[in-house]
Amino acid sequence: MARTDRASRIIAAPQAAVYDALLHREALETWLPPDGMRGRVERWDPRPGGGFRMVLTYLDPTDSPGKSSAAEDVVDVGFSELVRPRRVTQQAVFEADDPAYAGTMTMTWDLVPVRTGTEVTVTATDVPAGIDQAVHEAGIASSLAHLASYVEAGP
């Protein structure tokens, strides 16, 4: 059965600034990896039909073995929808031998202006069964916290 995970956060920054951080390679490497990981973008093409490949490395893989190797998660992400400054929709496929991580997960980043900034809601649909829901939602929340720190700090 398809599963949906989500998390949201209000970020004290304009909608356009948040949107720009979703489509800037170096920004993404900084804020997207959740706590306990670092990220490296290997391929970058920020347009509808384009996408990126990211290698996420666990800083301590002891309790969190990677999906692609003992210490890494490798994910190919395609941009299926870019609606400036309101929404980014991505199709994510993990590189993994384990069929529990197979399939395409859709990640939708909705950006809604609010009085204090921008409410960012991330909705992940068709989440692979091998990804623990609580861990995934905590990871999304961690990435949102990093996004807030990155964007709120300004240029």
Side-chain angles (χ1 to χ4, degrees):
M1 186 159 102
R3 189 180 91 218
T4 299
D5 298 347
R6 71 175 37 91
S8 65
R9 181 184 183 104
I10 294 177
I11 296 176
Q15 188 183 31
V18 176
Y19 182 90
D20 289 346
L22 295 175
L23 291 173
H24 186 269
R25 178 183 188 148
E26 290 79 17
L28 208 64
E29 287 179 327
T30 300
W31 67 260
L32 185 60
D35 290 338
M37 300 185 93
R38 71 174 176 271
R40 180 180 78 251
V41 173
E42 292 187 332
R43 177 179 52 79
W44 184 249
D45 184 8
R47 62 178 175 82
F52 63 96
R53 178 181 176 88
M54 180 170 257
V55 177
L56 295 161
T57 303
Y58 289 89
L59 301 178
D60 179 6
T62 307
D63 294 325
S64 303
K67 295 167 199 65
S68 305
S69 72
E72 293 181 335
D73 291 347
V74 178
V75 61
D76 283 305
V77 178
F79 291 116
S80 57
E81 181 183 39
L82 300 175
V83 183
R84 182 173 177 80
R86 297 186 338 241
R87 179 179 305 112
V88 172
T89 304
Q90 306 167 333
Q91 305 297 317
V93 178
F94 286 98
E95 184 179 284
D97 292 332
D98 186 338
Y101 299 108
T104 301
M105 176 175 61
T106 300
M107 302 274 301
T108 303
W109 300 73
D110 285 306
L111 314 176
V112 177
V114 295
R115 186 178 57 78
T116 57
T118 304
E119 181 176 21
V120 181
T121 301
V122 181
T123 305
T125 56
D126 298 323
V127 179
I131 299 174
D132 178 88
Q133 185 168 12
V135 171
H136 191 223
E137 288 179 337
I140 296 170
S142 175
S143 293
L144 285 171
H146 296 171
L147 174 60
S149 294
Y150 181 87
V151 176
E152 291 169 359

